[in-house]
Structure formats: C-alpha cells, structure tokens
C-alpha cells in the first residue's frame, strides 16, 4: 500500500490516496502507522476519497484509532496532495469532512502548493452541538474544576470540540502531559475534548499549546487555532485577525464577524512517499 507522509507546521499524518488504494480497517491502520517506533510515525491517518458532495472527501483517524471530525492542518495537506499529485488542476476546491464541506484556496509556486487558505466555516457555540455539559450558552469564561484546581474555559466547535484555557503565565511552563488527559476525559465533555492552553502576547499575537483528543500533545492544531481566535475575540483579548504561534510554526487566523466565517492560512509540506508491505487488514 502506497502512502505519503505530510505535515502542517509539524502536525503530521500519513495520507493514503483511496482513489487508488483500498483501506479495509482504517482504525487499526491508524494505530499501526502512527507508532513512531514500529510504524511510519504520525499524529494519525488521513484518507483521501471521492465524494458525491464535494471535489474530495477527507477521513481522519487519530493515533488511537478514533475518528475525528476535522483537522485544519490535515485539510491543508489534502489540498496540497490533490494538486501536486494531479488529482485536480483547480486552485479553489471543496473537501467534504465530518465537520462539513470546507473551501480551500491554493497558492501555487513553481507548480507546487506552498500555502493553503481554508474557509473553516462558522464557529458553533451551542453546548449541545459542541458538545459540552453546561447550561450557559455560549460557554464563555466559565469555571471548571480539574484535578482539584479551578480553571476557566471558553468552548467552541470548529467541526470538532474545543475548550480554550487562558493562562496567566507562559505556555512553556505548562505540564501539559499531566493536565491534558484530565481535560480530555472530563465528565463535562461527553465526546472528549481538544484543549488549547493560551498565552496572550498582544492584540495580534498569542502562543498556544494543544492537547488533542486521541493524539495527546501535537505540534499544531488548525481547528484549535481557529477556536482560540474566536475565544480571544469573545473574551476581548485580541483583534479578530491574529497570528497563532504554535510549537510547530505559525498560522494566520481571521474571524470575519460580518459573515461569521473563520479563515485559516498556513503552509503544507510533503515529507516523503513510501510503501507499506505489512499492515493490519482485519
């Protein structure tokens, strides 16, 4: 089975072209390829399939085999893959995901995609749709007790669920491996949660670390950066167009309040092509 390793500012996935390959057990395959000692090494698996609703369909599986609704860094790489590999010659395409249909605008340099701007759609605030177990609507700066300590969270869905936590100190000092799983599996979140820990630098810049549901800490999360931008605006901490600085690099995020659309712009990088000779099928 042929595959391509790609990453969006360090958020890396194994991509399989399902126009040509058949994947019978994506959950087991995701666990296998994600293993950084015995597999390819990645944050998960992304399948690129035909769609009857859009130009392409993207399926995302986390490193633990669970399926995710959306991935902002992953979808940028899908845009690069389909253009660079000749599956389309268009620089504006649509991709169907469990988080809805997303529109991508590709920047091409020397015949290859270098940047991708994604219309990530409208942020969702309804607690039942995120989902989170709160009566407040929207869930903005509400208290939550985690490990015996009170935090305040702002919850947003960008096709998948996010809880944003603003810190008073540097994100570098955070013991994310200790606190991340406690947020992810908290009873407030019936489908678990992606948690973004944020340090506001100024009105146009924030630092962010993320504990991703099903993948632990990753170097970047595109939907998380979008959720952070929305949360920053709702809490009056930044302008509506900011740079989110992640461990793997920077993303430009804009929440257009007039249209209520969130836009994400960032790079997509192909690392290498490969072939799996042994992999789980059952």
């Amino acid at each position: 089975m042929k595959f391509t390793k790609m990453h969006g500012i360090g958020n890396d996935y194994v991509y399989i072209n399902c126009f040509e390959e058949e994947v019978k057990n994506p959950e087991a395959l995701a666990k296998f390829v994600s293993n950084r000692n015995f597999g390819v090494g990645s944050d998960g698996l992304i399948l690129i399939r035909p769609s009857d609703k859009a130009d392409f369909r993207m399926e995302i599986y986390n490193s633990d085999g669970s399926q995710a609704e959306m991935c902002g860094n992953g979808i940028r790489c899908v845009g690069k893959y389909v253009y660079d590999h000749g599956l389309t010659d268009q620089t504006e395409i649509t991709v169907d995901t469990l988080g809805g249909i997303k529109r991508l605008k590709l920047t091409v340099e020397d015949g290859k995609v270098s940047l991708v701007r994604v219309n990530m759609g409208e942020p969702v605030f309804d607690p039942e749709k995120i989902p989170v177990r709160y009566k407040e609507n929207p869930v903005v700066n509400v208290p939550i007790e985690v490990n015996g300590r009170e935090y305040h969270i702002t919850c947003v869905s960008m096709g998948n669920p996010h809880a944003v936590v603003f810190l008073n100190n540097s994100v570098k000092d955070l013991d994310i491996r200790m606190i991340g799983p406690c947020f992810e599996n908290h009873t407030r979140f019936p489908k678990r949660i992606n948690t973004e820990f944020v340090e506001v630098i100024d009105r146009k810049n924030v630092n962010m670390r993320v504990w991703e549901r099903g993948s632990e800490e990753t170097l970047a999360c595109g939907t998380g950066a979008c959720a952070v931008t929305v949360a920053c605006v709702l809490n009056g901490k930044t302008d509506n167009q900011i740079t989110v600085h992640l461990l793997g690099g920077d993303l430009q995020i804009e929440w257009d309040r007039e249209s209520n659309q969130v836009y994400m712009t960032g790079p997509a990088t192909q690392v290498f092509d490969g072939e799996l000779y042994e992999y789980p099928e059952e």
Side-chain angles (χ1 to χ4, degrees):
M1 178 183 293
K2 294 181 179 178
F3 70 89
T4 298
K5 173 77 176 284
M6 306 182 76
H7 75 85
I9 59 172
N11 192 192
D12 59 338
Y13 287 87
V14 169
Y15 292 76
I16 294 180
N17 178 357
C18 291
F19 287 79
E20 299 177 354
E21 303 284 355
E22 181 181 4
V23 176
K24 296 180 179 180
N25 190 340
E27 296 86 356
L29 183 60
K31 293 180 183 179
F32 174 75
V33 298
S34 298
N35 191 293
R36 297 188 186 274
N37 297 108
F38 299 102
V40 180
S42 68
D43 291 325
L45 171 72
I46 290 182
L47 308 180
I48 302 172
R49 297 188 182 275
S51 172
D52 57 3
K53 299 178 182 178
D55 297 319
F56 302 95
R57 180 158 63 97
M58 175 177 78
E59 291 182 7
I60 313 132
Y61 295 86
N62 298 314
S63 59
D64 67 355
S66 60
Q67 190 168 13
E69 299 92 341
M70 245 300 287
C71 175
N73 292 311
I75 202 170
R76 293 201 315 278
C77 290
V78 168
K80 178 175 175 62
Y81 183 98
V82 298
Y83 186 92
D84 289 4
H85 288 77
L87 297 182
T88 184
D89 61 359
Q90 303 299 305
T91 56
E92 295 191 19
I93 63 171
T94 55
V95 179
D96 184 20
T97 76
L98 288 180
I101 295 176
K102 308 302 179 186
R103 298 183 179 277
L104 283 62
K105 183 176 291 187
L106 314 178
T107 298
V108 178
E109 297 178 0
D110 299 323
K112 301 289 185 182
V113 171
S114 57
L115 281 176
V116 181
R117 177 178 168 88
V118 185
N119 182 342
M120 300 289 285
E122 297 184 359
V124 174
F125 304 114
D126 186 334
E128 292 186 1
K129 294 180 179 179
I130 292 176
V132 296
R133 293 189 173 109
Y134 277 99
K135 293 181 180 179
E136 289 88 347
N137 187 359
V139 181
V140 176
N141 196 34
V142 298
I144 185 173
E145 185 175 318
V146 181
N147 260 12
R149 176 182 169 185
E150 185 177 275
Y151 296 84
H152 285 77
I153 58 173
T154 297
C155 295
V156 183
S157 173
M158 291 303 309
N160 53 358
H162 296 273
V164 179
V165 180
F166 293 102
L167 304 178
N168 294 323
N169 52 354
S170 171
V171 293
K172 294 179 181 178
D173 300 330
L174 179 69
D175 186 356
I176 198 169
R177 296 197 65 82
M178 183 278 291
I179 196 64
C182 300
F183 272 93
E184 178 183 355
N185 299 292
H186 197 283
T187 55
R188 289 279 189 181
F189 311 118
K191 292 188 177 180
R192 298 187 292 167
I193 199 78
N194 301 288
T195 311
E196 287 76 34
F197 300 92
V198 182
E199 170 195 358
V200 178
I201 303 171
D202 55 38
R203 297 289 302 179
K204 295 186 180 299
N205 295 273
V206 301
N207 291 330
M208 164 188 147
R209 288 176 68 184
V210 58
W211 184 268
E212 287 204 55
R213 177 187 58 168
S215 294
E216 302 186 355
E217 183 176 26
T218 60
L219 294 180
C221 177
T223 56
C226 294
V228 163
T229 302
V230 172
C232 283
V233 175
L234 290 177
N235 285 277
K237 294 182 179 294
T238 70
D239 298 340
N240 68 319
Q241 186 170 354
I242 66 174
T243 300
V244 181
H245 304 278
L246 305 103
L247 296 181
D250 298 343
L251 291 174
Q252 309 299 320
I253 311 293
E254 177 186 2
W255 181 18
D256 186 333
R257 298 298 298 276
E258 185 173 339
S259 65
N260 197 28
Q261 303 291 305
V262 180
Y263 295 90
M264 171 191 63
T265 303
T269 304
Q270 179 170 327
V271 183
F272 60 84
D273 292 317
E275 189 167 354
L276 297 173
Y277 294 100
E278 294 183 8
Y279 51 89
E281 291 187 286
E282 300 297 335

